[in-house]
């Protein structure tokens, strides 16, 4: 998609929030990616900045503590920035994570051949990981998320140190990327025990030079919750009937449970809201987007929020009431780094306006020039009161065309 600077500026004025993108620049290569990218661009879904993220080394480490669990990161560590992250949000990277999921490859390398490699393999499988390749000194595996991979890697490093073995681990989108990151870790820091990973485009490492007592990490208690509420459900029921609302919410519930591995909480049949718990944030965002697109296509709007607790998800959903263009917008609100962002799904009316601005700009400029000339001459001739008729006719023509 093009940059759409003018359109983004207009909606920034209307919403009073920065619009990072309209649609997506992500280049799809698989049928699933093509399906989602087409939906992003067809619906003109916008990525909106509610609270700007300040991406620094300190904020990256703070997010690491929050996402992995402070209790899982020993105090005697060193945190290295191997490559700084850019202080901006890349929308296509976010889209990639939503579509492709958050599963990551974990590469583990021992300094010496040891039977402990088999214990490592068992631990990874206990953590719902998949062993891709294994030798006497190396493991390539796949975990459910980057945070799970980092947490498990710290656990393995601790076990190695307790047994006098240096363990280097790294996390990547592919097995090859994880191996390359481990090589970079050795080049930059040395042959020490540690974990290399990326965050928001930067490259970082946690390094441990002495034994730590917590060699068994635990899964953080915080989860990923999605809160959904149909906006003005009373009007929707009056227009379409309660059975239609039940049909819509039942479809949403089934989709979340079957397609997104969600666990539904706090829903009663006939209600206009629900809470669902997901194993990862990307699945929660994806479920929120799919629901917003589906509900909007059936004549309603939703407010949705994603958080680490039910309360946080509900509070973020309520932010939709504060972001309005005459009425609350259909928003999916979530945190990113230390900022707050939302996907805004425009109504059919605003999609029409956007398409005019994007695809009919030359015609609109021509109409504006013509109207200006006609109004100017009508004013000179003393018939200025007819100028309003010209403006209205021009506007009707622009909309009809």
């Amino acid at each position: 998609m093009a940059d759409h600077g003018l359109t983004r500026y207009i909606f920034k004025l209307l919403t009073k929030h920065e619009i990072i993108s309209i649609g997506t620049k992500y280049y799809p290569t698989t049928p699933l990616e093509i399906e989602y990218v087409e939906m992003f661009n067809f619906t003109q879904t916008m990525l909106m900045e509610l609270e700007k993220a300040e991406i620094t080394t300190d904020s990256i480490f703070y997010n690491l503590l929050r996402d992995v669990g402070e209790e899982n990161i020993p105090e005697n560590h060193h945190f290295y920035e191997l490559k700084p992250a850019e202080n901006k949000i890349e929308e296509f990277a976010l889209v990639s994570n939503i579509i492709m999921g958050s599963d990551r490859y974990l590469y583990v390398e021992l300094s010496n051949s040891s039977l402990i490699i088999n214990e490592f393999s068992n631990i990874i499988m206990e953590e719902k990981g998949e062993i891709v390749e294994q030798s006497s000194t190396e493991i390539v595996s796949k975990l459910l998320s980057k945070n799970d991979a980092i947490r498990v890697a710290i656990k393995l490093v601790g076990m190695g140190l307790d047994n006098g073995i240096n363990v280097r681990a790294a996390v990547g989108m592919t097995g090859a990327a994880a191996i390359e990151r481990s090589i970079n870790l050795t080049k930059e820091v040395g042959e020490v025990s540690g974990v290399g990973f990326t965050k928001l485009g930067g490259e970082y490492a946690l390094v441990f030079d002495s034994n730590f007592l917590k060699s068994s990490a635990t899964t953080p208690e915080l989860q990923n919750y999605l809160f959904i509420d149909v906006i003005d459900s009373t009007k929707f029921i009056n227009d379409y009937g309660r059975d239609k609302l039940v049909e819509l919410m039942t479809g949403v519930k089934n989709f979340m449970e079957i397609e997104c591995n969600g666990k539904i909480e706090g829903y009663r049949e006939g209600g206009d809201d629900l809470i669902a718990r997901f194993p990862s944030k990307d699945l929660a965002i994806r479920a929120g987007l799919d629901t917003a697109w589906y509900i909007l296509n059936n004549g309603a709007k939703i407010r949705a929020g994603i958080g680490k607790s039910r309360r946080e998800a509900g509070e973020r959903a309520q932010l939709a009431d504060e972001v309005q263009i005459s009425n609350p917008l259909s928003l999916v609100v979530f945190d990113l780094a230390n900022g707050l962002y939302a996907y805004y799904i425009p109504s059919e009316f605003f999609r029409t306006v956007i398409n005019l601005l994007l695809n009919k700009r030359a015609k609109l400029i021509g109409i504006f020039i013509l109207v200006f000339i006609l109004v100017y001459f009508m004013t000179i001739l003393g018939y200025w009161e007819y100028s309003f008729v010209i403006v209205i006719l021009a506007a009707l023509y622009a909309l009809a065309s």
Side-chain angles (χ1 to χ4, degrees):
M1 300 229 14
D3 184 52
H4 306 327
L6 175 62
T7 310
R8 288 191 291 113
Y9 179 74
I10 291 172
F11 275 86
K12 176 183 177 181
L13 295 178
L14 292 172
T15 63
K16 300 179 177 61
H17 290 282
E18 193 73 39
I19 304 297
I20 296 175
S21 65
I22 299 176
T24 179
K25 295 179 181 178
Y26 182 77
Y27 185 79
T29 57
T30 67
L32 179 64
E33 290 178 344
I34 291 170
E35 177 185 344
Y36 270 87
V37 168
E38 285 180 350
M39 186 62 76
F40 268 100
N41 292 334
F42 174 74
T43 60
Q44 307 290 357
T45 296
M46 303 185 195
L47 180 59
M48 181 186 296
E49 185 177 77
L50 303 181
E51 295 178 11
K52 181 177 175 58
E54 293 299 330
I55 302 172
T56 64
T57 304
D58 289 339
S59 68
I60 291 287
F61 183 66
Y62 171 78
N63 291 333
L64 180 69
L65 291 176
R66 179 196 65 190
D67 296 337
V68 176
E70 188 172 356
E71 69 278 9
N72 294 319
I73 300 179
E75 293 182 2
N76 61 326
H77 68 266
H78 301 283
F79 184 64
Y80 289 92
E81 181 183 77
L82 308 181
K83 173 188 172 186
E86 294 185 25
N87 191 18
K88 65 177 182 178
I89 299 299
E90 297 287 1
E91 68 81 18
F92 50 85
L94 178 59
V95 170
S96 171
N97 200 52
I98 293 168
I99 299 173
M100 299 303 293
S102 62
D103 55 338
R104 291 294 184 272
Y105 285 84
L106 171 63
Y107 172 70
V108 181
E109 180 185 13
L110 307 187
S111 57
N112 301 298
S113 177
S114 171
L115 292 177
I116 200 174
I117 198 80
N118 295 321
E119 293 184 47
F120 285 4
S121 178
N122 291 333
I123 289 172
I124 289 170
M125 289 188 288
E126 287 172 3
E127 294 283 353
K128 300 180 181 179
E130 172 190 346
I131 304 299
V132 179
E133 292 182 58
Q134 180 177 334
S135 69
S136 61
T137 58
E138 296 174 300
I139 294 177
V140 176
S141 61
K142 190 176 182 182
L143 276 296
L144 294 177
S145 71
K146 179 189 294 184
N147 295 328
D148 281 333
I150 294 172
R151 177 175 56 80
V152 172
I154 294 172
K155 181 175 182 177
L156 302 184
V157 168
M159 290 180 62
L161 288 172
D162 285 346
N163 287 273
I165 300 171
N166 277 345
V167 178
R168 281 182 300 280
V171 181
M173 285 284 288
T174 64
I179 293 171
E180 185 178 5
R181 191 148 296 122
S182 177
I183 294 170
N184 291 340
L185 173 62
T186 303
K187 286 181 179 178
E188 296 290 335
V189 183
E191 293 189 0
V192 295
S193 291
V195 184
F197 55 92
T198 58
K199 283 279 186 180
L200 298 172
E203 194 165 334
Y204 302 88
L206 277 172
V207 172
F208 309 94
D209 52 14
S210 61
N211 292 27
F212 50 87
L213 296 176
K214 292 183 179 179
S215 61
S216 58
T218 58
T219 304
E221 292 184 4
L222 295 176
Q223 303 291 333
N224 299 280
Y225 288 93
L226 169 64
F227 179 90
I228 284 177
D229 178 35
V230 177
I231 297 173
D232 200 359
S233 58
T234 302
K235 182 179 183 302
F236 181 83
I237 291 171
N238 290 336
D239 292 342
Y240 301 100
R242 181 169 293 276
D243 288 345
K244 182 65 174 177
L245 179 65
V246 172
E247 178 187 333
L248 285 181
M249 295 302 290
T250 300
V252 169
K253 174 178 175 292
N254 292 339
F255 170 77
M256 290 184 181
E257 289 178 324
I258 297 170
E259 299 293 333
C260 299
N261 298 319
K263 182 178 180 181
I264 304 299
E265 301 179 0
Y267 172 71
R268 61 177 178 82
E269 186 171 329
D272 62 355
D273 58 16
L274 63 78
I275 298 174
R277 178 161 50 89
F278 295 88
S280 62
K281 189 191 342 185
D282 60 279
L283 283 174
I285 296 175
R286 179 173 166 182
L289 274 170
D290 278 308
T291 300
W293 289 331
Y294 171 65
I295 293 288
L296 193 64
N297 192 48
N298 284 274
K301 296 190 296 183
I302 64 162
R303 53 171 74 87
I306 294 156
K308 292 293 186 182
S309 66
R310 299 171 184 84
R311 179 184 180 87
E312 188 175 66
E315 288 174 343
R316 288 176 178 170
Q318 288 182 353
L319 289 176
D321 296 333
E322 302 174 13
V323 185
Q324 301 190 13
I325 305 177
S326 72
N327 291 300
L329 307 180
S330 185
L331 295 183
V332 180
V333 183
F334 53 93
D335 67 272
L336 195 57
N338 58 351
L340 205 56
Y341 293 80
Y343 275 118
Y344 159 43
I345 297 86
S347 64
E348 187 173 352
F349 170 77
F350 280 115
R351 289 206 299 268
T352 302
V353 173
I354 294 169
N355 283 325
L356 282 172
L357 291 171
L358 296 181
N359 304 316
K360 305 290 185 181
R361 190 176 301 173
K363 179 179 286 189
L364 289 175
I365 292 172
I367 292 172
F368 174 79
I369 294 173
L370 178 62
V371 168
F372 177 81
I373 293 173
L374 290 174
V375 169
Y376 177 74
F377 279 108
M378 293 292 283
T379 304
I380 290 176
L381 296 173
Y383 299 107
W384 62 268
E385 62 270 16
Y386 293 103
S387 301
F388 296 107
V389 177
I390 295 173
V391 172
I392 292 171
L393 290 174
L396 290 174
Y397 171 75
L399 289 172
S401 63

